[in-house]
Amino acid sequence: MSTNWILLIIGGLFETGFAISLGKAQQASGKPFAFWLLTFAVCVTISMYLLFKAMGGDKAIPVGTAYAVWGAIGAFGTVVAGVLLFDEPVTFWRLFFLTSLVLSVVGLQMVSSS
């Protein structure tokens, strides 16, 4: 796995971080609210920067693939975090579509490697 793919994966995890931060900010007020907004700003900055870096250099990931994978990692992580942190429901269909999302990301990575 190239450095660009590692950067993209880490960027996707920071996307999860900024979504979680927004969820926590919705539940907070005062100093905790400011903390979660600051956390959001840091996570979105890092996430976008890593997405940018993954799409450049010698082993650049095509923009369409990079954005789809980055978004899917963030979406998957956000759903898992929602279940663990916000007591969101776990249903058959949520698990089914999460599984199809992961398989699609793996497929994109495989066809983009060649």
Side-chain angles (χ1 to χ4, degrees):
M1 182 177 296
S2 75
T3 302
N4 288 38
W5 280 102
I6 293 168
L7 293 175
L8 188 63
I9 291 167
I10 295 169
L13 295 174
F14 274 98
E15 184 189 1
T16 298
F18 76 69
I20 292 168
S21 298
L22 288 178
K24 288 293 195 177
Q26 290 288 332
Q27 300 173 342
S29 61
K31 287 183 181 181
F33 176 76
F35 168 79
W36 287 113
L37 284 184
L38 177 63
T39 303
F40 164 77
V42 169
C43 285
V44 77
T45 300
I46 293 169
S47 182
M48 293 292 173
Y49 177 75
L50 293 174
L51 174 62
F52 169 78
K53 293 299 283 181
M55 293 187 300
D58 293 336
K59 304 252 180 176
I61 301 170
V63 65
T65 301
Y67 186 76
V69 171
W70 173 83
I73 292 167
F76 180 84
T78 302
V79 170
V80 171
V83 168
L84 298 175
L85 301 174
F86 301 108
D87 296 321
E88 293 177 0
V90 177
T91 64
F92 168 79
W93 289 112
R94 287 186 94 182
L95 293 176
F96 173 81
F97 288 116
L98 275 176
T99 302
S100 67
L101 180 66
V102 169
L103 293 174
S104 296
V105 168
V106 170
L108 275 173
Q109 198 273 341
M110 289 172 57
V111 299
S112 295
S113 297
S114 53

